[in-house]
Amino acid sequence: MFGWTGNILRINLSNRTHKIETFGEEFAKKWVGGRGFALKTLWDELKPGIDPLGPENKFIVAVGPIAGIPAPNTGKTVVAAKSPLTGGYGDGNLGTRVTEHIRKAGYDMIIVEGQSDRPVYLYIENEKIEYLPAEEIWGKGTYDTHNWLYKKYGKGVGLLSIGQGGENLNLYSMVRSLEGRAGGRPGIGAVMGSKKLKAIVIKGSKPIPVADPDGMRKLGLDDLRKVGEIDKKTGWSIQGTTGVLAWCNEVAALPVHNMRKTHHPDAWKIDGERLNKARVATYGCPNCTMRCGITILDHEGRQSELDYENIGMLGSNLDIFELDQVASLNYLCDDYGLDTISAGAVLAFYADAIEQGAVEGNFQFGDAEMAKKLLGLAAKRESEVGNLLADGTLRMARRIGHNSEAYAMQVKGLEISAYNCKFCPGMALAFGTSPIGAHHKESWVITFELNQTQRDSYGPEKAAKVIELQRIRGGLFEFIVACRFPWIELGWPLEHYTEYFNKVTGLKWALDDFWKVSDRIYSLMKFFWVREFPDWDRTRDYPPMVWFDPKNADTEGPIAGKILELEKYNQLLDHFYQQRGWDKRGIPTRRTAEVLDLKEEAAEVEKFTKLE
Ligand code: PTT
Ligand code: SF4
């Protein structure tokens, strides 16, 4: 078998044992890698209803067949577990040197199970696995942790770690790597923390099995150069993702004031142009020639790398329009290992709830200094407020009451990323049906919706586009495992990825083969949720009710008086379900499961609910 090492490293932290398991071509072809491998493993191995922060949950690191190969933007790795934030399947995707090292060490996936009784970090060098004491770095932020480990092992190793957020089981804590790289929004950092696993260091030295090594090397290096040239011509990485901010403000889709507002006159102060002018460094993931990590100095003079989501959620959504202060909040999230999107949503929800009189507290929109203090409390779960904020907006709303759930900006428990959809039905559907909770990574349909269709249409074309993008973004790029930016930002054709895949594996796949794997993964992700929540119905695919509330419509600007309509949103959901082959509850039918080779999985779900 080429393309895959065929090996899985399984580590048990309870008794400090490990073994190397193998998988064959059937598993490889059916699930390909990354999200596919992680999902199938969690589905097969987790009993439904287990505590995500208990020893039975598994922390998974998985890559795909082109991961780590010198070719455009192949430096990404998937981290996954049952999510403590949502209770469903959870994962994330981050740029890291782990991608290359895990493959060179001889593995496609690492499964960490059990729970250590004291802080530990793992050192993996090919077949050598060491369980090392982490007391010296436990309690430290990710910057100090990385420096400590780099000093010991050198800067070239692969490294994943958590900060105080993960250690203290903050439910939106992430896994960190490299400068400014973070992944695993649905609390995957807390799963590491629950296992008392502070970090994984990995170093590999074996060749990655490639069917046509010379052909792949030539093609990959050529394409890396070409992508770099296109980027220079288009100038995309001058502003990187942050170019989106000015556009969102213009089209009234910017998160402002806990997403109650959609634009702000001061938005220009934190936009991509200002950011680029303040740039002091640029970072990127391995194997990338369009590096987008724009780094500036924060209010305290520290380097902080900002993307659009970070600025939207920690800036405009909190009414904070001082770039250096936004950078400070971002720095703290990176250091504590908290997700910037959820952290921004949590703080905005807290300020909103105080403003509505639903809860008493000492925090207002625009107060950057207090926001910094609250982040520290939430990361360390210090005080009653810290504990409240550490649990994410849905649990906060349930504790606060007073109908505050209506404006807790989340779906399935995961906070909505930085697109305000009070009048973007297609993007609202993308958040509603995102299989890990609200995340734009699955289907960024907003530009299609606003540029190529009527914004107020709820027609089948929007559902079709959401599915098309889910297949590519949440499917292909998450199981082959590569950064999607060459495709989405520079128009790098998808056919290149079949070419890389075929050169690496020796197979002869076309894009349609990828789409079948994507659809299989999406249906199994839905089955995962249904097995956890057998009373599943379509309301779990709804965005927050405030987006349907006419009282929440803008009073001025491009979408004044406009708001989503629930009845029409239900029609859009019907289109989506019908095109996916799911029933009216949003559950894959028996027939769909059969077509996607999920018969066994369907039989398992039938133990919990009847399929149509
Ligand atoms: C991703 C989510 C995003 S998506 C952003 S900014 W973005 C936020 N980044 C955070 C951060 O940084 N620090 C932090 N403490 N929390 C953060 N939370 C937020 O996390 C990321 C890039 C970006 S920048 C995006 S869109 C693309 N995402 C990809 C993806 O998901 N899959 C894929 N195959 N390719 C992608 N390419 C792009 O990668 P999550 P990264 Mg992150 C500081 O993982 O859990 O999905 O959350 O990965 O290496 O940092 O690169 O405007
Ligand atoms: Fe990483 Fe940005 Fe390059 Fe993608 S484009 S690989 S996110 S640096």
Side-chain angles (χ1 to χ4, degrees):
M1 188 166 66
F2 289 105
W4 295 273
T5 66
N7 296 323
I8 297 168
L9 175 61
R10 187 183 293 273
I11 295 174
N12 189 311
L13 289 179
S14 298
N15 51 20
R16 303 196 171 196
T17 56
H18 57 267
K19 54 184 170 188
I20 297 169
E21 296 169 2
T22 56
F23 62 85
E25 207 168 292
E26 196 187 329
F27 177 81
K29 283 166 105 176
K30 194 161 177 183
W31 303 101
V32 182
R35 172 177 266 185
F37 280 6
L39 170 68
K40 176 63 174 155
T41 304
L42 293 172
W43 169 266
D44 283 346
E45 299 188 9
L46 296 191
K47 277 200 209 110
I50 58 130
D51 175 4
L53 296 175
E56 289 169 296
N57 201 1
K58 310 208 174 186
F59 168 62
I60 296 191
V61 182
V63 292
I66 69 162
I69 301 285
N73 305 40
T74 52
K76 295 268 186 183
T77 288
V78 168
V79 288
K82 174 176 173 180
S83 161
L85 184 63
T86 69
Y89 171 76
D91 69 11
N93 189 318
L94 72 164
T96 167
R97 285 188 209 101
V98 166
T99 317
E100 186 183 344
H101 281 292
I102 189 174
R103 304 262 281 160
K104 289 191 168 165
Y107 313 109
D108 297 308
M109 174 159 65
I110 299 174
I111 304 171
V112 182
E113 15 184 80
Q115 227 162 30
S116 173
D117 55 0
R118 51 191 184 277
V120 68
Y121 74 93
L122 290 167
Y123 178 72
I124 301 168
E125 187 174 345
N126 302 332
E127 285 78 28
K128 182 169 92 181
I129 320 293
E130 291 179 343
Y131 305 80
L132 296 154
E135 274 83 4
E136 238 183 284
I137 39 177
W138 196 256
K140 289 200 189 305
T142 61
Y143 285 103
D144 284 348
T145 299
H146 288 197
N147 287 339
W148 192 85
L149 290 166
Y150 280 145
K151 217 162 148 195
K152 219 165 165 170
Y153 298 103
K155 265 216 138 179
V157 294
L159 179 54
L160 299 174
S161 78
I162 54 168
Q164 298 93 334
E167 291 175 13
N168 292 294
L169 312 182
N170 172 300
L171 298 187
Y172 44 92
S173 48
M174 294 184 103
V175 181
R176 288 267 288 120
S177 193
L178 293 174
E179 301 82 1
R181 307 283 109 182
R185 289 196 53 215
I188 310 304
V191 176
M192 271 181 86
S194 72
K195 299 190 177 307
K196 293 232 167 0
L197 177 61
K198 180 70 177 174
I200 297 182
V201 180
I202 181 158
K203 196 170 161 186
S205 56
K206 301 181 201 173
I208 301 174
V210 174
D212 176 5
D214 294 340
M216 184 62 238
R217 190 170 170 74
K218 187 177 171 330
L219 176 70
L221 292 177
D222 264 8
D223 284 359
L224 272 166
R225 183 181 44 75
K226 284 183 197 156
V227 165
E229 281 164 8
I230 303 172
D231 180 49
K232 274 202 196 82
K233 249 185 244 153
T234 60
W236 175 76
S237 58
I238 293 173
Q239 293 190 17
T241 58
T242 63
V244 172
L245 192 136
W247 179 76
C248 280
N249 193 42
E250 190 187 312
V251 301
L254 190 70
V256 181
H257 209 87
N258 194 30
M259 297 204 179
R260 289 195 181 266
K261 299 179 188 160
T262 59
H263 53 280
H264 196 283
D266 288 338
W268 64 272
K269 293 181 183 168
I270 54 169
D271 72 7
E273 208 181 317
R274 252 38 55 182
L275 187 74
N276 184 42
K277 281 192 182 140
R279 180 196 304 251
V280 294
T282 307
Y283 294 112
C285 313
N287 289 353
C288 177
T289 47
M290 49 184 288
R291 301 193 318 153
C292 68
I294 304 175
T295 304
I296 66 172
L297 294 183
D298 75 1
H299 192 69
E300 286 77 23
R302 303 164 296 204
Q303 284 200 2
S304 173
E305 185 199 313
L306 288 154
D307 291 300
Y308 166 63
E309 302 300 324
N310 314 140
I311 302 183
M313 297 308 288
L314 296 170
S316 58
N317 200 38
L318 291 171
D319 297 7
I320 295 173
F321 294 98
E322 299 133 275
L323 194 53
D324 64 337
Q325 290 285 29
V326 179
S328 292
L329 293 170
N330 181 69
Y331 175 91
L332 290 176
C333 283
D334 277 351
D335 200 31
Y336 294 139
L338 300 181
D339 172 29
T340 52
I341 296 173
S342 289
V346 158
L347 293 178
F349 172 69
Y350 186 49
D352 200 352
I354 293 170
E355 210 167 80
Q356 305 294 323
V359 65
E360 278 180 21
N362 179 22
F363 181 50
Q364 287 172 3
F365 284 103
D367 186 347
E369 293 303 331
M370 183 53 85
K372 288 179 205 171
K373 283 193 195 127
L374 292 176
L375 280 182
L377 296 182
K380 296 174 192 161
R381 281 193 181 271
E382 280 171 3
S383 77
E384 209 178 305
V385 174
N387 264 307
L388 177 73
L389 300 178
D391 282 345
T393 53
L394 182 59
R395 285 178 176 80
M396 284 172 75
R398 291 186 176 159
R399 230 167 291 160
I400 289 171
H402 299 282
N403 294 326
S404 58
E405 199 170 320
Y407 56 91
M409 303 311 290
Q410 54 76 37
V411 182
K412 299 184 181 70
L414 183 66
E415 283 69 25
I416 294 173
S417 29
Y419 299 93
N420 190 340
C421 299
K422 65 161 83 166
F423 193 54
C424 303
M427 192 65 210
L429 177 73
F431 282 134
T433 60
S434 163
I436 56 168
H439 198 323
H440 63 289
K441 78 188 268 179
E442 309 289 329
S443 182
W444 191 61
V445 75
I446 191 164
T447 49
F448 168 83
E449 167 157 54
L450 269 61
N451 298 338
Q452 291 176 51
T453 63
Q454 293 291 334
R455 186 162 176 170
D456 61 356
S457 139
Y458 292 75
E461 78 289 350
K462 284 200 182 168
K465 193 69 182 181
V466 168
I467 293 172
E468 179 194 326
L469 293 177
Q470 287 179 339
R471 280 190 180 131
I472 300 169
R473 297 166 61 105
L476 172 59
F477 285 109
E478 299 304 315
F479 61 68
I480 199 167
V481 194
C483 173
R484 59 177 183 256
F485 281 166
W487 163 72
I488 183 94
E489 304 296 351
L490 308 183
W492 187 245
L494 290 176
E495 285 72 14
H496 288 300
Y497 296 93
T498 46
E499 216 183 342
Y500 306 148
F501 177 83
N502 290 339
K503 276 218 167 357
V504 166
T505 60
L507 299 169
K508 289 196 171 62
W509 280 28
L511 282 173
D512 277 346
D513 297 305
F514 284 147
W515 306 152
K516 187 160 182 190
V517 179
S518 294
D519 289 350
R520 181 178 300 133
I521 288 174
Y522 266 73
S523 281
L524 187 57
M525 284 193 281
K526 203 58 182 278
F527 278 164
F528 193 103
W529 283 94
V530 174
R531 192 171 63 167
E532 294 293 337
F533 303 98
D535 62 342
W536 193 270
D537 67 37
R538 61 168 51 210
T539 60
R540 291 183 190 262
D541 290 345
Y542 283 180
M545 283 301 124
V546 74
W547 276 349
F548 300 102
D549 180 358
K551 292 199 287 299
N552 189 46
D554 283 8
T555 52
E556 40 74 47
I559 58 164
K562 308 264 176 65
I563 201 83
L564 295 185
E565 293 174 56
L566 188 52
E567 200 178 313
K568 291 187 180 169
Y569 181 80
N570 269 316
Q571 285 165 15
L572 191 55
L573 261 186
D574 284 339
H575 293 309
F576 178 90
Y577 293 156
Q578 194 241 328
Q579 291 175 30
R580 274 225 170 269
W582 295 359
D583 67 20
K584 292 255 178 201
R585 297 169 297 173
I587 304 177
T589 63
R590 230 176 270 142
R591 169 88 195 115
T592 300
E594 213 168 288
V595 171
L596 297 172
D597 306 319
L598 291 174
K599 262 175 100 169
E600 266 177 38
E601 290 79 358
E604 162 78 4
V605 183
E606 295 248 40
K607 292 181 196 158
F608 299 84
T609 191
K610 207 167 153 34
L611 296 185
E612 280 185 13

